[in-house]
Amino acid sequence: MTTLTLPLVRPAPTVGPRPLAAWAALTRRRIALSAHTPREVLAPLVTPILFALVIAPALARLIPTSGPGGVDYSSYVIIGTIGLLIPLSCTFAGIGVIVDRTAGARRELIAAPVPRSLIVLGNLAVALLTSLLQVAALLLAGWARGARLDVTAAGFGWFAAAVLAFTVFMYGVSEILANRIPTQEEYVGLTPVVAILPWFLAGSLFPVTAMPAGLAAVARALPTTHALALLRYGLLDPNGHGLHDIWGVGDTATAAGLSLLVLTAWATVLTALSLRTFRRSAVT
Amino acid sequence: MPVRHIAAGPAPARQGSAPPGAEGPALEVRQLTKVYPNGVRAVAGVDFTVDGGEVFGLLGPNGAGKSTTIGMLTTAVTPTSGTAYVAGHDVVTEPLAARAASSVVFQDSVLDRAMTGRRNIRLHAQLWGVPSTSAARRTAELADAFGLDALLDRPVDTYSGGERRRLEIARALVSEPRVLFLDEPTVGLDTRIRYELLDLIGRLRSRSAMTTVLTTHYLDEAERLCDRIAVVHQGRIVALDSPAALLARLGPEVLELRGSRDHQGALALLRARGLADGAAFSVGTTLTVPLAGSAREAADTLAALGDGASSFTTRRPTLDDVYLQLTGSSLTGD
């Protein structure tokens, strides 16, 4: 047996792309793929739009009293459906992750000289963009159907922050599930549990205080509850009844700050976990 | 399985001047090992060095550890122990630099099928940091060289299997990698497309200073394309040499004996008469014996033995024989 060790001459440093350029390329790729599968964008809109245009006004007719804080019930439910729209949108985005893994270019991306977390962050950027467009479409539909929104700059800021944080949180959940669940069928089977069940408990159709105490306590821990309270505080209810139902503190801005903190913490943790899950699934 | 021969030496000298930037080995692998969490030892301490511009083959059956080795070199699999350098970059401590110096063509098609071929190539160029003007020029060159001109602006969904494979190789080359990994590039392709692809891969050698690492279980592919071949068996390299040197181990001729009831007896007789040389091996009911003497004399000897062997033939050895000798049941005939 002959062993020959040749001198190892270090080559000139090999450079890959700048991270921002790589992230932009990955984001453009995901946009292009989403554009080829419009169901990813359109399908999550169907149920919330149905709620906004048909179910909310019908319920408002049945329940002639105003919603919490004197807001009209139809508007209350329309904003509440954002809490369904974003989870559905992010869940559909997760299907793209599974397709990438099973029949797409994921391994090529993993072999690229870019930090692998950029692959997840590129997908997240597109999930955010999609959610923003869908929320805008839902609000437009609600406004056309007669929703009465109370829009101020500060209120819009709270609303936008809640949409962003809640989308980041939900995309983190979807990315983790998409990387851990082997098949698309199993993943889709989890959608009702992940996207729909928390919505019913989170004050989407009625205040959390209307539920039994035990369930209300569970609801107060759900990120969806904090998101919905912030969304309504931002665009519908400046008195923040939903926030007071959660925190029981007198100052609305403090309650809003606390809910945004909770939501941001959830978003940060889930994003970190999703990056870790992706790296673990990408490298054996 | 004992290691019969490992010659982890340099590649045979190639004609022409050394390629720029190819000083030192393109790949250096020392005691590389991968044990999966379920306890499977997929790669069990392999050593090899591949020079710049060399075409190096990892040859072995499914499950031999070839793809895991490629996975470690492309940083998709974390080594359990050992070291590996790609273009001088440690795959564990400098994974980005190692990946920047290499490209991979995977065993299965790994493309964004909804996008056009051009878009797939452009994405690779962007991720490997190729300036857009250079990427456009190289894409045009590669499309011309690989017969992809008419296909590039069609969605990949509409490509045939062979077209996809050509696109994947073109995509891998657009970043001008120092090391190109081809993991079973012809698996699943029909014979005609397979040979066209082999021709194409063969042409890469003449137009580029790039190092190519090819995994295959097709021996003819390895013989046709590779400067050196590492035969991998159960996670270990059991032989490493040029195809010619590997073939020379079996001598100019082998005798193949089918249906014999007594392999050991036949082999002992041939040995006693000085007709058998080197290590004989058997697979199923077939005994293959490297011949030292004349084929005619060996045939006469076996005919006289009369043990019911259904047939025997003599022929030139192939890499199949080398491979089977290294990985099958060896017989001593003593």
Side-chain angles (χ1 to χ4, degrees), chain A residues 140-176:
Chain A
L140 203 62
W143 174 75
R145 194 71 173 85
R148 291 197 295 274
L149 306 178
D150 183 2
V151 184
T152 63
F156 186 78
W158 285 109
F159 177 85
V163 167
L164 291 177
F166 188 50
T167 305
V168 172
F169 161 74
M170 275 313 306
Y171 186 75
V173 172
S174 301
E175 178 80 34
I176 290 168

PDB file of all heavy atoms in Angstrom, chain A residues 140-176:
ATOM      1  N   LEU A 140     -59.996  45.217   1.543  1.00  0.00           N
ATOM      2  CA  LEU A 140     -60.693  45.882   0.435  1.00  0.00           C
ATOM      3  C   LEU A 140     -62.089  45.282   0.258  1.00  0.00           C
ATOM      4  O   LEU A 140     -63.083  46.011   0.108  1.00  0.00           O
ATOM      5  CB  LEU A 140     -59.865  45.709  -0.841  1.00  0.00           C
ATOM      6  CG  LEU A 140     -60.094  46.722  -1.954  1.00  0.00           C
ATOM      7  CD1 LEU A 140     -59.739  48.136  -1.484  1.00  0.00           C
ATOM      8  CD2 LEU A 140     -59.259  46.355  -3.183  1.00  0.00           C
ATOM      9  N   ALA A 141     -62.141  43.956   0.306  1.00  0.00           N
ATOM     10  CA  ALA A 141     -63.437  43.275   0.159  1.00  0.00           C
ATOM     11  C   ALA A 141     -64.357  43.634   1.320  1.00  0.00           C
ATOM     12  O   ALA A 141     -65.549  43.897   1.136  1.00  0.00           O
ATOM     13  CB  ALA A 141     -63.213  41.762   0.098  1.00  0.00           C
ATOM     14  N   GLY A 142     -63.787  43.684   2.536  1.00  0.00           N
ATOM     15  CA  GLY A 142     -64.579  44.035   3.713  1.00  0.00           C
ATOM     16  C   GLY A 142     -65.089  45.468   3.623  1.00  0.00           C
ATOM     17  O   GLY A 142     -66.252  45.752   3.928  1.00  0.00           O
ATOM     18  N   TRP A 143     -64.199  46.358   3.179  1.00  0.00           N
ATOM     19  CA  TRP A 143     -64.582  47.765   3.042  1.00  0.00           C
ATOM     20  C   TRP A 143     -65.716  47.895   2.014  1.00  0.00           C
ATOM     21  O   TRP A 143     -66.695  48.620   2.235  1.00  0.00           O
ATOM     22  CB  TRP A 143     -63.351  48.566   2.611  1.00  0.00           C
ATOM     23  CG  TRP A 143     -63.638  50.005   2.304  1.00  0.00           C
ATOM     24  CD1 TRP A 143     -63.873  51.017   3.194  1.00  0.00           C
ATOM     25  CD2 TRP A 143     -63.731  50.587   1.011  1.00  0.00           C
ATOM     26  NE1 TRP A 143     -64.093  52.186   2.538  1.00  0.00           N
ATOM     27  CE2 TRP A 143     -64.008  51.955   1.190  1.00  0.00           C
ATOM     28  CE3 TRP A 143     -63.594  50.080  -0.294  1.00  0.00           C
ATOM     29  CZ2 TRP A 143     -64.159  52.821   0.108  1.00  0.00           C
ATOM     30  CZ3 TRP A 143     -63.739  50.941  -1.361  1.00  0.00           C
ATOM     31  CH2 TRP A 143     -64.025  52.300  -1.152  1.00  0.00           C
ATOM     32  N   ALA A 144     -65.594  47.151   0.915  1.00  0.00           N
ATOM     33  CA  ALA A 144     -66.631  47.187  -0.124  1.00  0.00           C
ATOM     34  C   ALA A 144     -67.958  46.647   0.416  1.00  0.00           C
ATOM     35  O   ALA A 144     -69.037  47.028  -0.050  1.00  0.00           O
ATOM     36  CB  ALA A 144     -66.186  46.364  -1.331  1.00  0.00           C
ATOM     37  N   ARG A 145     -67.881  45.780   1.406  1.00  0.00           N
ATOM     38  CA  ARG A 145     -69.097  45.160   1.972  1.00  0.00           C
ATOM     39  C   ARG A 145     -69.627  45.984   3.145  1.00  0.00           C
ATOM     40  O   ARG A 145     -70.594  45.604   3.784  1.00  0.00           O
ATOM     41  CB  ARG A 145     -68.745  43.734   2.427  1.00  0.00           C
ATOM     42  CG  ARG A 145     -69.926  42.843   2.727  1.00  0.00           C
ATOM     43  CD  ARG A 145     -70.665  42.450   1.461  1.00  0.00           C
ATOM     44  NE  ARG A 145     -71.708  41.466   1.736  1.00  0.00           N
ATOM     45  CZ  ARG A 145     -72.948  41.759   2.140  1.00  0.00           C
ATOM     46  NH1 ARG A 145     -73.294  43.021   2.330  1.00  0.00           N
ATOM     47  NH2 ARG A 145     -73.833  40.797   2.369  1.00  0.00           N
ATOM     48  N   GLY A 146     -68.928  47.080   3.448  1.00  0.00           N
ATOM     49  CA  GLY A 146     -69.471  47.988   4.454  1.00  0.00           C
ATOM     50  C   GLY A 146     -68.785  47.958   5.804  1.00  0.00           C
ATOM     51  O   GLY A 146     -69.325  48.493   6.784  1.00  0.00           O
ATOM     52  N   ALA A 147     -67.602  47.346   5.881  1.00  0.00           N
ATOM     53  CA  ALA A 147     -66.889  47.344   7.161  1.00  0.00           C
ATOM     54  C   ALA A 147     -66.514  48.783   7.526  1.00  0.00           C
ATOM     55  O   ALA A 147     -66.086  49.557   6.671  1.00  0.00           O
ATOM     56  CB  ALA A 147     -65.632  46.486   7.051  1.00  0.00           C
ATOM     57  N   ARG A 148     -66.701  49.107   8.820  1.00  0.00           N
ATOM     58  CA  ARG A 148     -66.386  50.476   9.246  1.00  0.00           C
ATOM     59  C   ARG A 148     -65.061  50.431  10.015  1.00  0.00           C
ATOM     60  O   ARG A 148     -65.008  49.979  11.170  1.00  0.00           O
ATOM     61  CB  ARG A 148     -67.523  51.025  10.104  1.00  0.00           C
ATOM     62  CG  ARG A 148     -68.795  51.269   9.286  1.00  0.00           C
ATOM     63  CD  ARG A 148     -69.754  52.175  10.038  1.00  0.00           C
ATOM     64  NE  ARG A 148     -70.255  51.573  11.256  1.00  0.00           N
ATOM     65  CZ  ARG A 148     -71.338  50.765  11.284  1.00  0.00           C
ATOM     66  NH1 ARG A 148     -71.995  50.477  10.184  1.00  0.00           N
ATOM     67  NH2 ARG A 148     -71.747  50.277  12.430  1.00  0.00           N
ATOM     68  N   LEU A 149     -64.014  50.907   9.364  1.00  0.00           N
ATOM     69  CA  LEU A 149     -62.685  50.865   9.977  1.00  0.00           C
ATOM     70  C   LEU A 149     -62.322  52.248  10.497  1.00  0.00           C
ATOM     71  O   LEU A 149     -62.728  53.268   9.927  1.00  0.00           O
ATOM     72  CB  LEU A 149     -61.643  50.398   8.948  1.00  0.00           C
ATOM     73  CG  LEU A 149     -61.942  49.064   8.250  1.00  0.00           C
ATOM     74  CD1 LEU A 149     -60.873  48.743   7.231  1.00  0.00           C
ATOM     75  CD2 LEU A 149     -62.048  47.933   9.273  1.00  0.00           C
ATOM     76  N   ASP A 150     -61.549  52.247  11.572  1.00  0.00           N
ATOM     77  CA  ASP A 150     -61.121  53.502  12.197  1.00  0.00           C
ATOM     78  C   ASP A 150     -59.607  53.605  11.980  1.00  0.00           C
ATOM     79  O   ASP A 150     -58.816  53.088  12.777  1.00  0.00           O
ATOM     80  CB  ASP A 150     -61.482  53.446  13.685  1.00  0.00           C
ATOM     81  CG  ASP A 150     -61.130  54.741  14.397  1.00  0.00           C
ATOM     82  OD1 ASP A 150     -60.649  55.676  13.734  1.00  0.00           O
ATOM     83  OD2 ASP A 150     -61.334  54.812  15.626  1.00  0.00           O
ATOM     84  N   VAL A 151     -59.215  54.245  10.873  1.00  0.00           N
ATOM     85  CA  VAL A 151     -57.803  54.202  10.483  1.00  0.00           C
ATOM     86  C   VAL A 151     -57.077  55.466  10.926  1.00  0.00           C
ATOM     87  O   VAL A 151     -57.449  56.580  10.543  1.00  0.00           O
ATOM     88  CB  VAL A 151     -57.660  54.047   8.946  1.00  0.00           C
ATOM     89  CG1 VAL A 151     -56.199  53.893   8.562  1.00  0.00           C
ATOM     90  CG2 VAL A 151     -58.465  52.859   8.460  1.00  0.00           C
ATOM     91  N   THR A 152     -56.060  55.268  11.754  1.00  0.00           N
ATOM     92  CA  THR A 152     -55.139  56.362  12.107  1.00  0.00           C
ATOM     93  C   THR A 152     -53.728  55.862  11.829  1.00  0.00           C
ATOM     94  O   THR A 152     -53.514  54.648  11.682  1.00  0.00           O
ATOM     95  CB  THR A 152     -55.234  56.722  13.601  1.00  0.00           C
ATOM     96  OG1 THR A 152     -54.819  55.563  14.355  1.00  0.00           O
ATOM     97  CG2 THR A 152     -56.650  57.114  13.996  1.00  0.00           C
ATOM     98  N   ALA A 153     -52.776  56.776  11.776  1.00  0.00           N
ATOM     99  CA  ALA A 153     -51.391  56.371  11.493  1.00  0.00           C
ATOM    100  C   ALA A 153     -50.882  55.416  12.573  1.00  0.00           C
ATOM    101  O   ALA A 153     -50.291  54.372  12.277  1.00  0.00           O
ATOM    102  CB  ALA A 153     -50.504  57.603  11.397  1.00  0.00           C
ATOM    103  N   ALA A 154     -51.119  55.791  13.831  1.00  0.00           N
ATOM    104  CA  ALA A 154     -50.638  54.944  14.931  1.00  0.00           C
ATOM    105  C   ALA A 154     -51.348  53.588  14.894  1.00  0.00           C
ATOM    106  O   ALA A 154     -50.716  52.533  15.049  1.00  0.00           O
ATOM    107  CB  ALA A 154     -50.887  55.635  16.263  1.00  0.00           C
ATOM    108  N   GLY A 155     -52.649  53.641  14.664  1.00  0.00           N
ATOM    109  CA  GLY A 155     -53.419  52.393  14.615  1.00  0.00           C
ATOM    110  C   GLY A 155     -52.931  51.510  13.482  1.00  0.00           C
ATOM    111  O   GLY A 155     -52.767  50.286  13.657  1.00  0.00           O
ATOM    112  N   PHE A 156     -52.661  52.111  12.332  1.00  0.00           N
ATOM    113  CA  PHE A 156     -52.166  51.314  11.214  1.00  0.00           C
ATOM    114  C   PHE A 156     -50.802  50.692  11.542  1.00  0.00           C
ATOM    115  O   PHE A 156     -50.497  49.574  11.143  1.00  0.00           O
ATOM    116  CB  PHE A 156     -52.081  52.175   9.951  1.00  0.00           C
ATOM    117  CG  PHE A 156     -51.714  51.383   8.743  1.00  0.00           C
ATOM    118  CD1 PHE A 156     -52.655  50.599   8.100  1.00  0.00           C
ATOM    119  CD2 PHE A 156     -50.406  51.376   8.267  1.00  0.00           C
ATOM    120  CE1 PHE A 156     -52.313  49.835   7.006  1.00  0.00           C
ATOM    121  CE2 PHE A 156     -50.055  50.618   7.170  1.00  0.00           C
ATOM    122  CZ  PHE A 156     -51.014  49.841   6.535  1.00  0.00           C
ATOM    123  N   GLY A 157     -50.003  51.454  12.298  1.00  0.00           N
ATOM    124  CA  GLY A 157     -48.696  50.930  12.716  1.00  0.00           C
ATOM    125  C   GLY A 157     -48.854  49.670  13.553  1.00  0.00           C
ATOM    126  O   GLY A 157     -48.162  48.662  13.329  1.00  0.00           O
ATOM    127  N   TRP A 158     -49.772  49.707  14.538  1.00  0.00           N
ATOM    128  CA  TRP A 158     -50.013  48.518  15.363  1.00  0.00           C
ATOM    129  C   TRP A 158     -50.514  47.361  14.489  1.00  0.00           C
ATOM    130  O   TRP A 158     -50.091  46.212  14.650  1.00  0.00           O
ATOM    131  CB  TRP A 158     -51.052  48.816  16.447  1.00  0.00           C
ATOM    132  CG  TRP A 158     -50.529  49.644  17.578  1.00  0.00           C
ATOM    133  CD1 TRP A 158     -50.842  50.953  17.850  1.00  0.00           C
ATOM    134  CD2 TRP A 158     -49.601  49.242  18.593  1.00  0.00           C
ATOM    135  NE1 TRP A 158     -50.174  51.396  18.958  1.00  0.00           N
ATOM    136  CE2 TRP A 158     -49.400  50.351  19.445  1.00  0.00           C
ATOM    137  CE3 TRP A 158     -48.908  48.060  18.857  1.00  0.00           C
ATOM    138  CZ2 TRP A 158     -48.548  50.310  20.543  1.00  0.00           C
ATOM    139  CZ3 TRP A 158     -48.059  48.013  19.967  1.00  0.00           C
ATOM    140  CH2 TRP A 158     -47.885  49.124  20.784  1.00  0.00           C
ATOM    141  N   PHE A 159     -51.431  47.709  13.583  1.00  0.00           N
ATOM    142  CA  PHE A 159     -52.006  46.689  12.704  1.00  0.00           C
ATOM    143  C   PHE A 159     -50.906  46.028  11.858  1.00  0.00           C
ATOM    144  O   PHE A 159     -50.798  44.794  11.791  1.00  0.00           O
ATOM    145  CB  PHE A 159     -53.062  47.349  11.794  1.00  0.00           C
ATOM    146  CG  PHE A 159     -53.679  46.421  10.786  1.00  0.00           C
ATOM    147  CD1 PHE A 159     -54.756  45.618  11.125  1.00  0.00           C
ATOM    148  CD2 PHE A 159     -53.186  46.347   9.487  1.00  0.00           C
ATOM    149  CE1 PHE A 159     -55.330  44.761  10.195  1.00  0.00           C
ATOM    150  CE2 PHE A 159     -53.737  45.490   8.560  1.00  0.00           C
ATOM    151  CZ  PHE A 159     -54.814  44.693   8.912  1.00  0.00           C
ATOM    152  N   ALA A 160     -50.080  46.862  11.222  1.00  0.00           N
ATOM    153  CA  ALA A 160     -49.023  46.333  10.345  1.00  0.00           C
ATOM    154  C   ALA A 160     -48.028  45.494  11.134  1.00  0.00           C
ATOM    155  O   ALA A 160     -47.597  44.418  10.682  1.00  0.00           O
ATOM    156  CB  ALA A 160     -48.311  47.495   9.642  1.00  0.00           C
ATOM    157  N   ALA A 161     -47.674  45.990  12.321  1.00  0.00           N
ATOM    158  CA  ALA A 161     -46.719  45.232  13.152  1.00  0.00           C
ATOM    159  C   ALA A 161     -47.306  43.868  13.514  1.00  0.00           C
ATOM    160  O   ALA A 161     -46.597  42.843  13.508  1.00  0.00           O
ATOM    161  CB  ALA A 161     -46.391  46.027  14.407  1.00  0.00           C
ATOM    162  N   ALA A 162     -48.604  43.857  13.822  1.00  0.00           N
ATOM    163  CA  ALA A 162     -49.236  42.585  14.186  1.00  0.00           C
ATOM    164  C   ALA A 162     -49.274  41.630  12.997  1.00  0.00           C
ATOM    165  O   ALA A 162     -48.996  40.428  13.133  1.00  0.00           O
ATOM    166  CB  ALA A 162     -50.654  42.841  14.704  1.00  0.00           C
ATOM    167  N   VAL A 163     -49.597  42.161  11.807  1.00  0.00           N
ATOM    168  CA  VAL A 163     -49.624  41.305  10.607  1.00  0.00           C
ATOM    169  C   VAL A 163     -48.232  40.708  10.360  1.00  0.00           C
ATOM    170  O   VAL A 163     -48.085  39.502  10.119  1.00  0.00           O
ATOM    171  CB  VAL A 163     -50.091  42.118   9.371  1.00  0.00           C
ATOM    172  CG1 VAL A 163     -49.818  41.346   8.085  1.00  0.00           C
ATOM    173  CG2 VAL A 163     -51.582  42.444   9.481  1.00  0.00           C
ATOM    174  N   LEU A 164     -47.210  41.546  10.445  1.00  0.00           N
ATOM    175  CA  LEU A 164     -45.843  41.065  10.181  1.00  0.00           C
ATOM    176  C   LEU A 164     -45.423  40.010  11.208  1.00  0.00           C
ATOM    177  O   LEU A 164     -44.955  38.929  10.839  1.00  0.00           O
ATOM    178  CB  LEU A 164     -44.860  42.244  10.204  1.00  0.00           C
ATOM    179  CG  LEU A 164     -44.986  43.244   9.048  1.00  0.00           C
ATOM    180  CD1 LEU A 164     -44.013  44.403   9.232  1.00  0.00           C
ATOM    181  CD2 LEU A 164     -44.715  42.561   7.705  1.00  0.00           C
ATOM    182  N   ALA A 165     -45.613  40.330  12.488  1.00  0.00           N
ATOM    183  CA  ALA A 165     -45.158  39.393  13.528  1.00  0.00           C
ATOM    184  C   ALA A 165     -45.940  38.082  13.460  1.00  0.00           C
ATOM    185  O   ALA A 165     -45.364  36.993  13.602  1.00  0.00           O
ATOM    186  CB  ALA A 165     -45.304  40.036  14.901  1.00  0.00           C
ATOM    187  N   PHE A 166     -47.238  38.188  13.222  1.00  0.00           N
ATOM    188  CA  PHE A 166     -48.055  36.970  13.182  1.00  0.00           C
ATOM    189  C   PHE A 166     -47.686  36.126  11.958  1.00  0.00           C
ATOM    190  O   PHE A 166     -47.626  34.893  12.034  1.00  0.00           O
ATOM    191  CB  PHE A 166     -49.542  37.359  13.163  1.00  0.00           C
ATOM    192  CG  PHE A 166     -50.470  36.180  13.322  1.00  0.00           C
ATOM    193  CD1 PHE A 166     -50.293  35.257  14.338  1.00  0.00           C
ATOM    194  CD2 PHE A 166     -51.532  35.988  12.446  1.00  0.00           C
ATOM    195  CE1 PHE A 166     -51.146  34.172  14.487  1.00  0.00           C
ATOM    196  CE2 PHE A 166     -52.390  34.909  12.587  1.00  0.00           C
ATOM    197  CZ  PHE A 166     -52.191  34.000  13.611  1.00  0.00           C
ATOM    198  N   THR A 167     -47.411  36.770  10.826  1.00  0.00           N
ATOM    199  CA  THR A 167     -47.009  36.016   9.631  1.00  0.00           C
ATOM    200  C   THR A 167     -45.667  35.326   9.855  1.00  0.00           C
ATOM    201  O   THR A 167     -45.491  34.157   9.493  1.00  0.00           O
ATOM    202  CB  THR A 167     -46.916  36.956   8.406  1.00  0.00           C
ATOM    203  OG1 THR A 167     -48.157  37.631   8.238  1.00  0.00           O
ATOM    204  CG2 THR A 167     -46.583  36.182   7.148  1.00  0.00           C
ATOM    205  N   VAL A 168     -44.734  36.044  10.463  1.00  0.00           N
ATOM    206  CA  VAL A 168     -43.415  35.432  10.718  1.00  0.00           C
ATOM    207  C   VAL A 168     -43.590  34.225  11.644  1.00  0.00           C
ATOM    208  O   VAL A 168     -43.005  33.154  11.406  1.00  0.00           O
ATOM    209  CB  VAL A 168     -42.445  36.475  11.335  1.00  0.00           C
ATOM    210  CG1 VAL A 168     -41.147  35.811  11.783  1.00  0.00           C
ATOM    211  CG2 VAL A 168     -42.150  37.572  10.326  1.00  0.00           C
ATOM    212  N   PHE A 169     -44.411  34.380  12.669  1.00  0.00           N
ATOM    213  CA  PHE A 169     -44.668  33.261  13.588  1.00  0.00           C
ATOM    214  C   PHE A 169     -45.278  32.076  12.828  1.00  0.00           C
ATOM    215  O   PHE A 169     -44.791  30.944  12.927  1.00  0.00           O
ATOM    216  CB  PHE A 169     -45.620  33.723  14.703  1.00  0.00           C
ATOM    217  CG  PHE A 169     -46.298  32.582  15.409  1.00  0.00           C
ATOM    218  CD1 PHE A 169     -45.604  31.775  16.298  1.00  0.00           C
ATOM    219  CD2 PHE A 169     -47.645  32.298  15.162  1.00  0.00           C
ATOM    220  CE1 PHE A 169     -46.233  30.713  16.932  1.00  0.00           C
ATOM    221  CE2 PHE A 169     -48.279  31.240  15.791  1.00  0.00           C
ATOM    222  CZ  PHE A 169     -47.573  30.440  16.681  1.00  0.00           C
ATOM    223  N   MET A 170     -46.334  32.362  12.057  1.00  0.00           N
ATOM    224  CA  MET A 170     -47.026  31.257  11.375  1.00  0.00           C
ATOM    225  C   MET A 170     -46.146  30.618  10.304  1.00  0.00           C
ATOM    226  O   MET A 170     -46.193  29.408  10.085  1.00  0.00           O
ATOM    227  CB  MET A 170     -48.319  31.752  10.723  1.00  0.00           C
ATOM    228  CG  MET A 170     -49.523  31.803  11.630  1.00  0.00           C
ATOM    229  SD  MET A 170     -49.834  30.346  12.665  1.00  0.00           S
ATOM    230  CE  MET A 170     -49.866  29.005  11.521  1.00  0.00           C
ATOM    231  N   TYR A 171     -45.308  31.423   9.625  1.00  0.00           N
ATOM    232  CA  TYR A 171     -44.427  30.815   8.631  1.00  0.00           C
ATOM    233  C   TYR A 171     -43.398  29.909   9.328  1.00  0.00           C
ATOM    234  O   TYR A 171     -43.050  28.849   8.810  1.00  0.00           O
ATOM    235  CB  TYR A 171     -43.719  31.860   7.758  1.00  0.00           C
ATOM    236  CG  TYR A 171     -42.960  31.134   6.684  1.00  0.00           C
ATOM    237  CD1 TYR A 171     -43.638  30.579   5.602  1.00  0.00           C
ATOM    238  CD2 TYR A 171     -41.596  30.887   6.805  1.00  0.00           C
ATOM    239  CE1 TYR A 171     -42.971  29.812   4.661  1.00  0.00           C
ATOM    240  CE2 TYR A 171     -40.929  30.124   5.867  1.00  0.00           C
ATOM    241  CZ  TYR A 171     -41.618  29.598   4.810  1.00  0.00           C
ATOM    242  OH  TYR A 171     -40.967  28.816   3.885  1.00  0.00           O
ATOM    243  N   GLY A 172     -42.966  30.335  10.502  1.00  0.00           N
ATOM    244  CA  GLY A 172     -42.042  29.486  11.268  1.00  0.00           C
ATOM    245  C   GLY A 172     -42.669  28.134  11.571  1.00  0.00           C
ATOM    246  O   GLY A 172     -42.043  27.083  11.388  1.00  0.00           O
ATOM    247  N   VAL A 173     -43.944  28.170  11.997  1.00  0.00           N
ATOM    248  CA  VAL A 173     -44.657  26.909  12.283  1.00  0.00           C
ATOM    249  C   VAL A 173     -44.722  26.055  11.014  1.00  0.00           C
ATOM    250  O   VAL A 173     -44.419  24.844  11.031  1.00  0.00           O
ATOM    251  CB  VAL A 173     -46.087  27.211  12.802  1.00  0.00           C
ATOM    252  CG1 VAL A 173     -46.895  25.923  12.915  1.00  0.00           C
ATOM    253  CG2 VAL A 173     -46.037  27.932  14.141  1.00  0.00           C
ATOM    254  N   SER A 174     -45.096  26.684   9.897  1.00  0.00           N
ATOM    255  CA  SER A 174     -45.257  25.938   8.637  1.00  0.00           C
ATOM    256  C   SER A 174     -43.927  25.360   8.157  1.00  0.00           C
ATOM    257  O   SER A 174     -43.867  24.220   7.685  1.00  0.00           O
ATOM    258  CB  SER A 174     -45.829  26.859   7.557  1.00  0.00           C
ATOM    259  OG  SER A 174     -47.069  27.368   7.961  1.00  0.00           O
ATOM    260  N   GLU A 175     -42.860  26.142   8.260  1.00  0.00           N
ATOM    261  CA  GLU A 175     -41.537  25.681   7.805  1.00  0.00           C
ATOM    262  C   GLU A 175     -41.081  24.474   8.639  1.00  0.00           C
ATOM    263  O   GLU A 175     -40.564  23.494   8.097  1.00  0.00           O
ATOM    264  CB  GLU A 175     -40.537  26.834   7.924  1.00  0.00           C
ATOM    265  CG  GLU A 175     -39.109  26.497   7.527  1.00  0.00           C
ATOM    266  CD  GLU A 175     -38.853  26.507   6.032  1.00  0.00           C
ATOM    267  OE1 GLU A 175     -39.469  27.319   5.333  1.00  0.00           O
ATOM    268  OE2 GLU A 175     -38.028  25.686   5.569  1.00  0.00           O
ATOM    269  N   ILE A 176     -41.323  24.554   9.937  1.00  0.00           N
ATOM    270  CA  ILE A 176     -40.934  23.432  10.806  1.00  0.00           C
ATOM    271  C   ILE A 176     -41.714  22.174  10.415  1.00  0.00           C
ATOM    272  O   ILE A 176     -41.124  21.101  10.214  1.00  0.00           O
ATOM    273  CB  ILE A 176     -41.185  23.781  12.290  1.00  0.00           C
ATOM    274  CG1 ILE A 176     -40.192  24.841  12.750  1.00  0.00           C
ATOM    275  CG2 ILE A 176     -41.069  22.542  13.167  1.00  0.00           C
ATOM    276  CD1 ILE A 176     -40.530  25.455  14.096  1.00  0.00           C
TER     277      ILE A 176
END
